Amino acid sequence: MKKLFLLCSLFLLFSIGLKAQPIQGEILADSGNLKVVRVWGTHYERGYAYGYLCEPNIMAIWEDYIVPNYSTVLPFARILIGNPSNFSIDSIYIREAQGILDGLGAAGADTAGLSYLDIFVVNFMTDLEGFMPKAGFMTHQCSSMMNWGTSTLASDLSGKSVIAHHLDAVGYDSIVAHNQVMVVHIPSEANEQAWLLTGIAGQMVASQAVNESGIAAFLNTVNGFSAQTGQGYEPMTITLRKSIERLDYNGDGLHNTNDVRAAIQSNTKYSRGFIVCALAPSTCIEDTLISMVAELASVAPFITFRHINDVDSIVGDNLYAANDMIKRNNAQQYCSRYLQVKAAINGDYAGVGIGAQDNWDIMHDHSTQTSNLQFIQVIPELNRFSISVSDNAQPGYLFAPQVFDMLQLFDHTAGMPQVGESNSAMHLYPNPVTSSLSVSIPDQQGRMKCYLSDIEGRVLNVVDIDNYSTIDVSGLSSGLYFLHVSSSNGSFSGRFVKE
């Protein structure tokens, strides 16, 4: 009887735990080599859902790739990451990493002996290379190409911007190839926006990312630079995530490459050499706000920005970057891939008439390596995200891409009940909205106070509503807003986008 009571008690506690932390996420697609998941809520809630939904993939990366390949340096990597004098990591990302770990455990993984530091080992491989070159980590040799304006005007893009990126990872194996992910984040934090990343299972930072404002950022690495202890580096992939995840990083009310530039400038110490390529919609008008290349190093000059008005040997509104510095210290280091892409743009196209397929083909034909893990293209103004991935037998660029509609990926109604459902949660629709916003709180009765606030938390309006009401939002400027409803039975919150 005592055993039965104990088992019942444990089951009850387990059930309460599950109820207290629901899985706020869903699997959108799973092709075998690429799993696409969408998660929503706070950093911890999104991490928990990610860990739960991708448990077999994340554990495969950990047990079958990280542990056997990094076994000799794993203790040192944990010590490096766990010491704030070496790595500066915001507490929200520690909570998210802990959420991933808790989600793995809830899904049945054996997480005994693991900590959030092990999640960070997976995420900070590029920064760790600055401390431990050739220590078993994959070597990244990525490349990116951006076209816009006059270069895409006489094409199907009609001047719109486009970026193509190769994630080349020398040293990846079948475990890495078969456990790639795309993670779509729908944050509940007021100062954040929807965004997505691609990488390997367990990755929560940004080395390939795009947000709902249409800003894309891709990371390339540069060899020949090393890190020093005691410098308090913010991992480059955290800096890049902040630039994409924050609703408006530099606070100027606009969404363009200045957000990425400001994030880079806020982090003046880098653990190695990096190159960041950032692209925004062509509606940003100015070339420097549409595209940007940042060349970063662990020694002065630490930050160098490159644009089309700099000497780069490629004509027109086109920028390309691989793994060498061009503008920094006037290095003018052009690798073979750079020269091949230059020849295609300058010779075959004379710098113009580059459409969506041309952008893909130039990178496909002239910037590829057998180590290609992912081949990505983003066209912000068409809300198009395309990706092809390796199956380990062949590089990613040899496969036809999977094409996603970013409007669908960044659906803010994810996790909300559908109209007419018997659920005490609040549902806002349509979302995005142009004039009349419907508010549904099915299980509530009577009049309730509804507070409308902006992203700064300022209350703009207070109205009385019942469980099915409409609110006129036609007078609001375009942007993200929040509703907070208070009733005798509880409080409810939701967010919506005003077009």
Side-chain angles (χ1 to χ4, degrees), residues 154-481:
S155 75
D156 60 313
L157 291 178
S158 300
K160 297 179 179 65
S161 58
V162 58
I163 184 170
H165 175 79
H166 285 304
L167 167 57
D168 295 324
V170 177
Y172 77 81
D173 61 11
S174 61
I175 300 301
V176 171
H178 295 157
N179 291 283
Q180 301 173 72
V181 296
M182 179 194 299
V183 185
V184 182
H185 285 261
I186 311 293
S188 61
E189 288 83 0
N191 67 334
E192 297 182 0
Q193 63 181 308
W195 68 287
L196 68 82
L197 67 89
T198 73
I200 61 173
Q203 187 172 336
M204 54 175 276
V205 292
S207 51
Q208 296 88 223
V210 61
N211 63 27
E212 65 179 334
S213 297
I215 303 174
F218 295 97
L219 183 65
N220 306 343
T221 57
V222 181
N223 294 326
F225 299 92
S226 59
Q228 298 178 355
T229 58
Q231 296 300 306
Y233 300 110
E234 179 176 83
M236 183 64 236
T237 47
I238 289 288
T239 300
L240 210 56
R241 171 170 174 170
K242 288 180 179 180
S243 73
I244 293 295
E245 181 177 53
R246 297 277 179 86
L247 188 61
D248 179 17
Y249 188 91
N250 65 352
D252 65 356
L254 304 173
H255 302 287
N256 51 48
T257 59
N258 275 346
D259 290 309
V260 182
R261 184 180 288 103
I264 288 172
Q265 290 173 322
S266 71
N267 181 18
T268 57
K269 299 177 181 179
Y270 293 94
S271 62
R272 58 167 301 171
F274 294 103
I275 292 178
V276 175
C277 294
L279 182 85
S282 67
T283 50
C284 295
I285 307 300
E286 294 183 24
D287 292 324
T288 58
L289 301 181
I290 297 171
S291 71
M292 177 205 76
V293 174
E295 300 176 348
L296 314 173
S298 57
V299 294
F302 301 105
I303 302 172
T304 304
F305 293 110
R306 176 161 66 90
H307 305 94
I308 60 168
N309 55 337
D310 298 309
V311 176
D312 66 357
S313 76
I314 296 179
V315 301
D317 293 341
N318 306 287
L319 272 176
Y320 175 83
N323 307 107
D324 296 296
M325 305 295 190
I326 304 299
K327 184 179 178 182
R328 181 181 180 272
N329 285 339
N330 195 32
Q332 300 290 308
Q333 294 176 306
Y334 300 115
C335 65
S336 59
R337 284 180 294 164
Y338 196 107
L339 294 176
Q340 291 172 33
V341 169
K342 168 193 169 183
I345 293 177
N346 293 2
D348 299 341
Y349 292 87
V352 297
I354 300 175
Q357 189 61 50
D358 302 302
N359 168 268
W360 184 273
D361 290 343
I362 292 171
M363 287 290 283
H364 179 282
D365 297 340
H366 304 289
S367 188
T368 51
Q369 300 184 115
T370 56
S371 59
N372 182 235
L373 186 62
Q374 296 182 354
F375 185 13
I376 299 167
Q377 184 187 67
V378 179
I379 308 177
E381 291 157 271
L382 297 182
N383 293 296
R384 186 189 302 168
F385 185 96
S386 305
I387 180 171
S388 59
V389 301
S390 169
D391 67 350
N392 194 52
Q394 298 184 91
Y397 73 89
L398 291 178
F399 295 92
Q402 301 179 53
V403 182
F404 297 90
D405 182 339
M406 289 193 290
L407 287 179
Q408 295 179 1
L409 291 176
F410 296 140
D411 182 5
H412 282 267
T413 64
M416 295 183 181
Q418 298 301 307
V419 180
E421 280 190 41
S422 179
N423 191 306
S424 60
M426 181 166 66
H427 184 209
L428 308 178
Y429 56 95
N431 194 358
V433 61
T434 55
S435 57
S436 183
L437 179 71
S438 296
V439 183
S440 170
I441 313 178
D443 287 353
Q444 299 300 301
Q445 300 295 327
R447 303 293 285 175
M448 296 169 282
K449 287 288 185 184
C450 178
Y451 301 84
L452 170 63
S453 61
D454 62 15
I455 61 173
E456 302 297 332
R458 295 173 297 211
V459 176
L460 305 179
N461 196 10
V462 180
V463 296
D464 289 328
I465 65 170
D466 55 29
N467 57 347
Y468 290 98
S469 298
T470 58
I471 299 176
D472 182 11
V473 296
S474 58
L476 297 176
S477 301
S478 298
L480 182 65
Y481 295 89

Side-chain angles (χ1 to χ4, degrees), residues 2-131:
K2 289 183 178 180
K3 289 183 178 179
L4 179 60
F5 175 79
L6 179 59
L7 288 172
C8 291
S9 300
L10 289 173
F11 178 78
L12 179 61
L13 287 172
F14 181 72
S15 300
I16 291 173
L18 286 180
K19 186 175 181 180
Q21 183 53 60
I23 309 304
Q24 297 188 187
E26 58 187 333
I27 298 174
L28 300 178
D30 190 350
S31 65
N33 294 329
L34 178 71
K35 180 177 285 188
V36 182
V37 299
R38 178 165 54 202
V39 295
W40 53 85
T42 64
H43 279 268
Y44 178 84
E45 291 167 338
R46 284 178 274 143
Y48 189 94
Y50 177 21
Y52 187 92
L53 295 171
C54 294
E55 179 269 332
N57 311 93
I58 296 173
M59 293 308 295
I61 290 291
W62 176 256
E63 294 175 345
D64 300 326
Y65 185 78
I66 298 293
V67 171
N69 285 286
Y70 301 4
S71 56
T72 59
V73 298
L74 200 50
F76 182 45
R78 290 185 179 117
I79 292 172
L80 281 173
I81 295 172
N83 188 338
S85 69
N86 296 324
F87 281 103
S88 175
I89 305 169
D90 293 10
S91 60
I92 56 173
Y93 301 116
I94 294 176
R95 289 197 297 272
E96 187 173 327
Q98 186 60 52
I100 293 175
L101 199 61
D102 292 346
L104 291 172
D110 181 5
T111 58
L114 298 181
S115 77
Y116 73 88
L117 293 175
D118 296 304
I119 300 297
F120 285 155
V121 168
V122 178
N123 279 271
F124 301 153
M125 287 188 285
T126 52
D127 278 272
L128 286 170
E129 285 180 21
F131 290 95

